[in-house]
Amino acid sequence: MKTWKRLALLTLPAVVALSGGCAVISEDECQAGLWYERGIEDGARGRSQGTVYQIAQKCHEYGVRTDTEAWLRGHEEGVEQYCTPENGFVVGRRGSNYEGVCTGPTADLFLVNYQNGLAVYQAEQQYIALERRYYETEREVHRIENALEEVETKEEAKSLRSQRRNLLREMRHLEAEMMRFGGFGAFNPFLFY
């Protein structure tokens, strides 16, 4: 038995456990066959070879036998489409997981670009979190300002003013943090290439 087949069989339980029982293929797709074409599609999406075992298990439930060899041939072709440097950046930029399907010299180029795209994605997520916190803080400042109009005691007013000062200070800090990402309301992905 070839090494990759042995490795795939050893990883089958982990793949099935991680799949969480989600349907990877419909009954109609199983009945249609088209295993080679399905392999190309799955490979072009960067899915690992373990996917064929999920498909085979699901199709077996429908009483359909999977042509694993045809799927694997198609998968190899699809992976060639997936493992380009340009696609590496796109996959990382979307924040998608990379299942380690690329091999050979293209793997290095794909991975470098994937990591660059992922760095931009992660920076953007940090920026979005800062922006969300800024708007939450701004809403809290408005709530306090409304409460100040209805305050009854000097102690309450003093406490509310102190809270407002702290919140305004936090907003300035958040604005400064957002500047690292291109400015308030202006995430700049080019800063992270």
Side-chain angles (χ1 to χ4, degrees), residues 119-184:
V120 174
Y121 170 80
Q122 291 169 339
E124 184 175 35
Q125 295 307 302
Q126 290 174 355
Y127 177 82
I128 289 168
L130 288 168
E131 191 174 49
R132 186 177 306 122
R133 180 68 188 135
Y134 179 89
Y135 288 123
E136 288 169 1
T137 306
E138 186 177 51
R139 280 192 296 278
E140 186 63 15
V141 167
H142 290 300
R143 186 194 65 75
I144 288 173
E145 287 173 347
N146 290 335
L148 273 168
E149 292 176 10
E150 300 174 9
V151 74
E152 295 182 9
T153 67
K154 287 182 180 182
E155 290 79 25
E156 284 180 275
K158 183 177 179 182
S159 173
L160 288 171
R161 282 190 202 100
S162 174
Q163 288 176 39
R164 182 178 59 185
R165 271 192 309 277
N166 290 336
L167 290 168
L168 291 171
R169 190 176 306 118
E170 182 177 353
M171 287 174 68
R172 284 191 302 274
H173 172 73
L174 290 167
E175 287 172 352
E177 284 292 307
M178 285 188 276
M179 291 305 289
R180 292 183 19 230
F181 297 92
F184 183 76

Side-chain angles (χ1 to χ4, degrees), residues 1-44:
M1 185 179 282
K2 291 185 178 179
T3 305
W4 65 266
K5 284 185 180 179
R6 240 183 265 132
L7 183 59
L9 287 174
L10 290 173
T11 60
L12 176 61
V15 169
V16 171
L18 291 174
S19 71
C22 63
V24 294
I25 192 167
S26 69
E27 184 174 2
D28 289 341
E29 290 171 316
C30 286
Q31 296 294 341
L34 303 172
W35 303 115
Y36 177 78
E37 293 80 1
R38 177 64 191 239
I40 291 174
E41 180 183 317
D42 288 338

Side-chain angles (χ1 to χ4, degrees), residues 37-52:
E37 293 80 1
R38 177 64 191 239
I40 291 174
E41 180 183 317
D42 288 338
R45 289 184 177 166
R47 294 184 179 146
S48 72
Q49 287 184 349
T51 303
V52 74

Side-chain angles (χ1 to χ4, degrees), residues 68-147:
T68 304
E69 291 299 321
W71 185 94
L72 287 169
R73 283 193 312 276
H75 181 264
E76 188 174 318
E77 187 176 319
V79 164
E80 287 178 22
Q81 297 170 22
Y82 177 82
C83 295
T84 65
E86 298 80 15
N87 194 48
F89 184 82
V90 169
V91 171
R93 183 66 176 94
R94 284 192 308 241
S96 300
N97 289 330
Y98 169 55
E99 295 186 28
V101 298
C102 302
T103 58
T106 60
D108 293 338
L109 291 172
F110 177 92
L111 198 54
V112 164
N113 285 301
Y114 170 77
Q115 290 169 340
N116 289 339
L118 190 59
V120 174
Y121 170 80
Q122 291 169 339
E124 184 175 35
Q125 295 307 302
Q126 290 174 355
Y127 177 82
I128 289 168
L130 288 168
E131 191 174 49
R132 186 177 306 122
R133 180 68 188 135
Y134 179 89
Y135 288 123
E136 288 169 1
T137 306
E138 186 177 51
R139 280 192 296 278
E140 186 63 15
V141 167
H142 290 300
R143 186 194 65 75
I144 288 173
E145 287 173 347
N146 290 335

